[in-house]
Amino acid sequence: MLACLLQSEWNEKMLLLFIMGLAAEGSVGCPKSCICASDLLSCVRKDLKQVPPNLPAASVSLDLSHNGISQLHNNWLFGLPRIHILRLSHNHIRWLPSRAFHNATTLQHLDLSFNYLQGIQEELFEHLNNLEELLLYKNSITRVDYGAFIHLSNIQKIYLSWNNLTNFSFNAMQNFTNPNLRTLDLSSNQFLKLPVEEVSSLPAFIKNGLYLHNNPLTCHCSLFALFIHWDHRGFSSVVDFYKQHTCRYMGRPNVVVQILQAQKGLDNCSVERLYRLPEAGLRVLVGKHVMITCNTSLPLDNTTYMWITPTYDFIMPPGNSNQSLRIHQNGSLEISKAQTWNSGIYVCIAVNRRLSYNSTHEVNVSVHYPKHDAESFNTGITTLLGCVVSLVLVFIYLYMTPCRCFPCCIKPPQPPSPPHESSGQSTLCGTPPATEVPNNRKASRHVVFLEPIKERRWEKKAKVLQLKIDSDSSSSVFSDSPIVYT
């Protein structure tokens, strides 16, 4: 009985020690200055200068905001395989290494706002395939590389407002690289001019959430036409900030015009002209692929698409016979290896039978050569023309040189020659004049076989002479001195 009691007490002690061990094990890895609660890790306002070591591997949310962190190391998230939310706002980060987020493949929310970042390189977010929200506002960003967001296939919101951007690669988002993007905030930057054609070519779901207000834009007709069209289509980016869309008249900072309220008063921009401006335009180099999006508000379900080319050819899915033009499931038209004859206005017609509604969209495509190729082409043309002119001058010199002895070329009138007379001999220049014969009798020299025989009494003599000529050597027939008779 006593043995059983002692055995039960020993089991209880062992169980208590086991529980205490588990508790101690669970507390290992939580930094002293942070708060750990289940899979949440908060280190807010702890005056941290660097990321604490030994972060709990089970953390799903990590908040390091409102500290003094100035740099992050490559692969610093290697020990957090389950991280979904990362907040690094209100720190002193000026630069990020290319592999800072290399291991955060499960990351969905990344907040880097209120720092001192100056640029976003292309490979920085390369492995964040599951990222949905990216907060980069209130930094000092002046440059965003062309493919910085091209790998974010699940991104929904990108906030880049309150930076120092003067340009942005809108072309990188034209080919549905970010099909889930619904908010792209570029407001309150330093844009002086917008590439209206590139912006117009973006898919409608991106333009609906493309915020461009509070930028020092210069007023011009294309800019007015862009925002007026967005206003009539009811895009949230314009409707929600109606009065904040302004521009500077003639680039003067002290003359600010509200675009959506003063479009009738801008010089040389009538309302009719604004609505006739093409909505979209694409520029592509010769030989490159181009994707033209069909920007309509119709859903993809139960919607069919058709395109009309600049040559008025109707392109139905899947495309034309030689596959140079192909229509994708989302209505986009792909031109493979574009050539100059592919330039012109393309019209997309979208029809949704379930909604009994159709919509059209126009895109102006311009195919051009690179500048250096154009210069080489012009140089080649100039060289070719120079060669042609040189050849013409050579031919003129060889075959059309005028006679140097002009008086010698003037021939006295001669009787008509018979049909069998050689044209080469009749036009010879420099034939010696007739000489005088003895007894002061003038004699005219005649070629025997060319002189017409008028009297019968000369027939016999002529025949004899002709036979004599035939009996001579062939060289006498082709001699330069003619055979004459008197």
Side-chain angles (χ1 to χ4, degrees):
M1 185 71 175
L2 181 60
C4 293
L5 181 60
L6 292 174
Q7 183 70 24
S8 61
E9 290 179 357
W10 184 82
N11 290 336
E12 289 179 1
K13 289 182 180 180
M14 291 298 297
L15 180 60
L16 180 59
L17 291 174
F18 179 73
I19 294 174
M20 292 175 64
L22 288 178
E25 183 180 356
S27 63
V28 171
C30 184
K32 295 179 179 180
S33 58
C34 300
I35 299 175
C36 300
S38 183
D39 55 1
L40 304 180
L41 177 59
S42 176
C43 303
V44 181
R45 300 184 186 275
K46 300 301 180 180
D47 197 24
L48 298 175
K49 303 302 180 183
Q50 60 183 2
V51 178
N54 302 322
L55 297 176
S59 299
V60 174
S61 175
L62 174 59
D63 193 345
L64 294 169
S65 59
H66 295 276
N67 283 288
I69 300 174
S70 59
Q71 63 179 357
L72 300 174
H73 299 287
N74 283 323
N75 304 315
W76 70 281
L77 293 172
F78 178 77
L80 302 176
R82 298 174 55 189
I83 189 72
H84 287 173
I85 300 174
L86 177 60
R87 295 185 175 94
L88 290 163
S89 63
H90 295 88
N91 278 283
H92 299 161
I93 303 174
R94 297 180 178 274
W95 176 79
L96 290 169
S98 59
R99 298 172 65 90
F101 307 106
H102 183 73
N103 303 106
T105 56
T106 60
L107 196 61
Q108 297 178 358
H109 178 92
L110 176 59
D111 187 356
L112 289 165
S113 61
F114 288 92
N115 277 281
Y116 300 95
L117 294 173
Q118 298 180 356
I120 304 298
Q121 56 267 39
E122 183 174 352
E123 63 274 9
L124 184 60
F125 307 127
E126 184 177 0
H127 297 279
L128 303 184
N129 299 325
N130 293 310
L131 191 64
E132 298 178 358
E133 295 182 351
L134 177 60
L135 283 63
L136 294 166
Y137 61 88
K138 201 58 179 178
N139 276 275
S140 302
I141 300 174
T142 59
R143 185 196 78 258
V144 176
D145 288 352
Y146 179 85
F149 307 126
I150 199 171
H151 299 288
L152 304 180
S153 56
N154 288 314
I155 193 68
Q156 299 178 10
K157 299 178 181 180
I158 300 176
Y159 297 93
L160 279 163
S161 59
W162 296 100
N163 280 286
N164 297 322
L165 291 172
T166 58
N167 57 74
F168 187 81
S169 302
F170 295 100
N171 277 334
M173 298 185 172
Q174 287 182 356
N175 297 338
F176 287 92
T177 55
N178 311 106
N180 299 311
L181 183 62
R182 293 299 179 269
T183 299
L184 177 58
D185 190 357
L186 296 172
S187 63
S188 302
N189 275 277
Q190 299 299 320
F191 288 96
L192 299 176
K193 185 179 179 181
L194 281 180
V196 175
E197 291 187 352
E198 293 183 16
V199 174
S200 300
S201 302
L202 292 173
F205 59 82
I206 293 181
K207 291 188 291 187
N208 182 65
L210 178 57
Y211 295 90
L212 297 167
H213 57 278
N214 290 336
N215 276 286
L217 298 169
T218 302
C219 298
H220 57 88
C221 294
S222 299
L223 182 68
F224 274 57
L226 177 70
F227 290 123
I228 290 172
H229 181 77
W230 288 11
D231 180 40
H232 282 265
R233 294 195 64 175
F235 287 160
S236 300
S237 56
V238 173
V239 175
D240 295 344
F241 296 90
Y242 191 84
K243 295 183 179 180
Q244 284 77 15
H245 284 82
T246 59
C247 63
R248 297 179 178 181
Y249 184 72
M250 302 292 293
R252 301 174 182 174
N254 57 340
V255 183
V256 179
V257 179
Q258 290 186 345
I259 297 176
L260 298 174
Q261 295 181 349
Q263 67 269 23
K264 295 183 179 180
L266 187 65
D267 296 341
N268 301 323
C269 289
S270 62
V271 177
E272 292 79 8
R273 180 183 175 186
L274 293 176
Y275 286 114
R276 283 199 301 267
L277 289 174
E279 180 192 353
L282 282 176
R283 289 177 59 84
V284 60
L285 295 176
V286 171
K288 299 293 185 180
H289 282 64
V290 61
M291 187 82 70
I292 313 174
T293 58
C294 186
N295 289 335
T296 63
S297 57
L298 294 176
L300 293 178
D301 297 337
N302 300 312
T303 301
T304 57
Y305 300 91
M306 178 181 67
W307 284 85
I308 302 177
T309 67
T311 56
Y312 302 102
D313 295 328
F314 289 86
I315 307 299
M316 304 290 292
N320 58 357
S321 57
N322 58 6
Q323 293 298 311
S324 60
L325 301 176
R326 191 163 69 93
I327 298 179
H328 292 256
Q329 187 176 1
N330 56 18
S332 299
L333 178 66
E334 180 184 1
I335 303 177
S336 60
K337 297 182 179 179
Q339 300 298 325
T340 53
W341 54 81
N342 293 127
S343 300
I345 301 293
Y346 288 79
V347 181
C348 173
I349 302 176
V351 179
N352 191 296
R353 299 186 181 277
R354 184 173 62 84
L355 299 178
S356 300
Y357 186 81
N358 63 340
S359 179
T360 60
H361 174 68
E362 293 185 3
V363 181
N364 185 12
V365 177
S366 175
V367 184
H368 62 96
Y369 287 95
K371 291 183 179 180
H372 63 276
D373 288 349
E375 294 176 357
S376 302
F377 180 76
N378 293 334
T379 304
I381 289 294
T382 305
T383 305
L384 179 61
L385 288 177
C387 293
V388 171
V389 171
S390 301
L391 288 175
V392 171
L393 293 176
V394 169
F395 278 112
I396 291 176
Y397 178 78
L398 292 177
Y399 297 100
M400 300 183 65
T401 305
C403 183
R404 297 180 180 179
C405 181
F406 184 76
C408 300
C409 294
I410 303 177
K411 295 182 62 178
Q414 295 182 0
S417 301
H420 62 273
E421 182 179 357
S422 172
S423 60
Q425 293 178 349
S426 63
T427 58
L428 288 175
C429 180
T431 304
T435 58
E436 293 184 359
V437 295
N439 300 328
N440 296 327
R441 295 180 61 186
K442 294 182 178 181
S444 59
R445 295 186 177 185
H446 299 280
V447 180
V448 173
F449 54 85
L450 298 179
E451 179 65 18
I453 307 301
K454 295 183 178 180
E455 298 183 12
R456 184 177 298 274
R457 62 179 180 174
W458 292 96
E459 292 181 358
K460 185 174 180 181
K461 180 184 260 188
K463 291 180 180 180
V464 172
L465 291 174
Q466 181 69 36
L467 293 175
K468 183 178 179 180
I469 294 171
D470 295 338
S471 63
D472 290 337
S473 63
S474 59
S475 62
S476 65
V477 177
F478 297 99
S479 176
D480 291 337
S481 58
I483 302 174
V484 298
Y485 71 92
T486 56

